[in-house]
Amino acid sequence: MTRATMGPPTPIAPASAFFRACLYEWRHLTALRSTWVLLGVVALLSLLTGLNVLLDAEGQNTANPLIAADSITWAPLSTQVPALCFFMLAIGTGPVSTDLVTGAARTTWLAVNGPRTAYTAKCTVGFSVACAVAATSVLLGALSYAAALALIGAPQPAWLSVLLPAVRFVAWMGCWALLCMAVISLLRSRILPILILVLWPLIVERLIGALLGRLPCLDGIGNWLPFAAGRAMLTDASAYSGEDRSFVKMLIGSHLSPSEATVVFFLYTTVIATAGLWAYCRRDLKTI
């Protein structure tokens, strides 16, 4: 068929373009061997959750729902953020960094009907995959934990009390994927965003909160910072009693209840993800 006999290009409906973009992102993610290696490591570590029980020879406190929830959600209280988020950095930052850092974004945009569709598809697939990985990890961890308790003859925790913290953990991991993509879009680099994503929740945010808290007009601002709210979302300090509650509140660094913290963390995620969309669509593409 010659160019003269070819008709005009057929427009694609936005919904169809979005679906194709999501399919493109899914195929790209699942085609990488590193993705499956990473998920295999996550699955193995989830199945090893029961070792926490077996290492406690007397089985003390293992039936406590708070301890069970902390174990199967990758210990967000002791590590400040769920340790799973560090394993998910590659999946969270990869889709956007591949486009922007290598200069392949123009090709992606042509294939999926523009930058807005491309970024939205990346976020949708990233959020969905992160939630699915977190949910699967929770399930495997819970099975491992329950099997270990049965092996040592210890009572099972009230698993219904573990369900709500597990759901919040799954939602937190979905937000983490969106934050990873947004930070990559804003900074257009590979190394710096990862350093920020690692150091900000563990060190930098607490330092900034402490410094800002010295100002009279910003007293208590640390309670409302992103990952302080994220920690409060994952751990309910009110479920502890006595000295344990004071210690847990100190580790969390926020007085917000889990429901309030969830709203705050979601709002931060929405704002940062929107800024990432703007940066992805508006900045000139240059190889870094």
Side-chain angles (χ1 to χ4, degrees):
M1 181 180 294
T2 64
R3 183 180 297 271
T5 59
M6 291 175 62
T10 304
I12 301 175
S16 179
F18 174 70
F19 175 78
R20 293 183 184 185
C22 289
L23 186 60
Y24 168 83
E25 294 298 334
W26 171 253
R27 288 179 175 175
H28 177 260
L29 186 64
T30 55
L32 297 174
R33 183 180 299 177
S34 58
T35 299
W36 297 107
V37 172
L38 178 62
L39 295 181
V41 171
V42 169
L44 177 61
L45 293 176
S46 299
L47 288 171
L48 293 177
T49 302
L51 284 178
N52 294 331
V53 177
L54 298 178
L55 292 175
D56 185 357
E58 298 180 359
Q60 296 180 349
N61 297 322
T62 51
N64 189 326
L66 298 175
I67 295 176
D70 191 66
S71 295
I72 67 174
T73 58
W74 293 71
L77 183 59
S78 58
T79 59
Q80 297 296 283
V81 291
L84 179 60
C85 71
F86 300 119
F87 291 88
M88 296 296 290
L89 274 173
I91 292 178
T93 60
V96 174
S97 66
T98 300
D99 277 357
L100 294 182
V101 176
T102 64
R106 288 191 180 94
T107 303
T108 301
W109 296 358
L110 290 173
V112 299
N113 200 32
R116 186 176 298 274
T117 301
Y119 186 83
T120 306
K122 291 177 189 296
C123 288
T124 301
V125 173
F127 181 88
S128 301
V129 169
C131 287
V133 171
T136 302
S137 174
V138 163
L139 179 59
L140 293 176
L143 291 174
S144 173
Y145 196 91
L149 287 175
L151 185 63
I152 65 174
Q156 297 287 333
W159 287 108
L160 286 179
S161 299
V162 179
L163 181 60
L164 187 56
V167 170
R168 291 199 297 263
F169 164 69
V170 171
W172 194 100
M173 288 305 305
C175 291
W176 175 253
L178 298 180
L179 292 173
C180 287
M181 295 184 195
V183 173
I184 286 285
S185 298
L186 290 167
L187 299 178
R188 274 181 42 209
S189 173
R190 279 181 175 155
I191 303 301
L192 182 59
I194 292 177
L195 288 176
I196 290 175
L197 290 166
V198 171
L199 296 178
W200 179 272
L202 299 182
I203 301 174
V204 177
E205 186 179 272
R206 285 190 180 273
L207 292 175
I208 291 177
L211 293 173
L212 292 178
R214 294 179 178 274
L215 301 176
C217 58
L218 295 177
D219 184 33
I221 189 65
N223 295 302
W224 299 89
L225 294 176
F227 285 97
R231 289 188 293 271
M233 171 183 172
L234 293 169
T235 304
D236 185 1
S238 66
Y240 294 82
S241 59
E243 295 181 356
D244 288 341
R245 179 180 297 183
S246 300
F247 180 67
V248 168
K249 284 184 176 180
M250 181 190 69
L251 288 178
I252 293 173
S254 174
H255 71 317
L256 299 178
S257 68
S259 57
E260 293 171 334
T262 299
V263 173
V264 172
F265 192 64
F266 280 5
L267 287 175
Y268 272 116
T269 301
T270 301
V271 170
I272 296 172
T274 302
L277 171 62
W278 175 86
Y280 184 83
C281 295
R282 293 296 181 91
R283 288 191 175 181
D284 292 334
L285 298 174
K286 297 179 181 179
T287 302
I288 298 176

